Amino acid sequence: MNETHNPKLKSWVDVDRESDFPIQNIPFGVFCPKSGGDLHVATAVGDYVLDLALLDDAGLFKGTEVEGTEVFHEPTLNAFMSLGRKAWKDTRLVISRLLSEENGALRDNDDLKNEVLISMNEVEMQLPIDVGDYTDFYSSREHASNVGTIFRGPENALMPNWLHLPVGYHGRASSIVVNGTDISRPKGQSKAPNMDVPSFGGSKRMDFELEMGVFIGNGTNLGENVSVDDAEEHIFGLALVNDWSARDIQAWEYQPLGPFLAKNFATTVSPWIITLEALEPFRCSGPKQDPKPLEYLRNNNDSTFDINLGIYLKTGRMDSYDCISTSNYSYLYWDMCQQLAHHTITGCNLRTGDLLASGTISGPEKENRGSMLELTWGWSEPIKLSNGDERLALEDGDSVMLKGWCQSENYRIGFGDCIGKLLPSN
Ligand code: CA
């Protein structure tokens, strides 16, 4: 077992048993002190952020690949991510040892500790990555089947290509926002079924999509194909993704080239990137693939993780969130390595910071549906909330929160919050 995964490891920082950020997690993010100052790269432990830039200045990363590179002084994780797996692993090990209860190097240095360990209440987390390109897949069989059944009936639920390749489209990177960013209801064209001509206005069918995103660490060269077996070498880590969707705009615009404005106005991501190394103890197999994929997509490894997922909704009249759906990352039919291999099979290059989102992650049961389109079964069965409110689509003032966590007996590896509140159109 890797030292950083030891379930018995404890930190001298007080960490609640239910915390997303025990010493075994060591996520990476970027923060700004609320009192002002530069953006720095940090990790999270319990209710604190740990400033890695100041730790490096104090010489605590001596002898590792990050020493002297100033990557933790950057306003995004990209420079750190481009250093590669050895640098990520070394950094993780240094942090794990520094936070361990037996280690006094930081614990007993009050001056440094007060400088580098900051309460989460005193910082604002930033969008951690400069995302160059954003691709959104459609890799949940249950989601594709639900949507297909709603629009085309159960006989034609899956399109003929679906079981043979991970379907996807190229999305919009400029409107990716971090947890807590308000979302304005998009305006656009739609055409009601009983009308002959389209009309213009704010979307009347606002939806969310529960997804996970993979962030690329080491890029690839133009013309290079990455095999399924090598794909993980290029993956820095994962975060939660909410692919906000305007379904009425989508329905009118999507043929023949797919989603366009219905999805380009906002995509929310959680602020902490959880590394593959942190997820390693939760590795598991995905669904059996039948028919067998073509050779370049065949994967004999376990390339997914047991990550519990939840969708929570709070209307403007509620004080707390209701859980409206639960799912799991491992339900995905096409895994992240197959997605990456497929993406590069043409020679398309990936760059550090690129985001490959999974597509909506639905599961086998009704309560595992990852979008409102599915939860309301095509806008026909309202979601009933604990205070009596009902929803067929999101209304102004509604907040959507996604959560993700791996649970072991001793600790949980959490992803932090992925929240967005819908506001009226500008
Ligand atoms: Ca999507």
Side-chain angles (χ1 to χ4, degrees), residues 134 136-138 143 169 209-211 241-245 247 259 263 357-360:
Y134 160 40
D136 194 16
F137 284 96
Y138 191 61
H143 172 66
Y169 68 96
E209 290 190 330
L210 167 65
E211 304 197 18
V241 174
N242 183 349
D243 176 21
W244 300 93
S245 300
R247 300 295 186 195
K263 286 165 177 287
S358 60
T360 308

Side-chain angles (χ1 to χ4, degrees), residues 113-124:
K113 193 167 67 180
N114 288 335
E115 223 184 336
V116 298
L117 197 65
I118 309 160
S119 164
M120 282 184 179
N121 295 326
E122 292 169 26
V123 305
E124 259 180 29

Side-chain angles (χ1 to χ4, degrees), residues 282-296:
F282 304 92
R283 191 179 281 278
C284 66
S285 57
K288 187 174 160 18
Q289 294 187 312
D290 182 22
K292 234 179 183 185
L294 291 173
E295 184 69 33
Y296 82 100

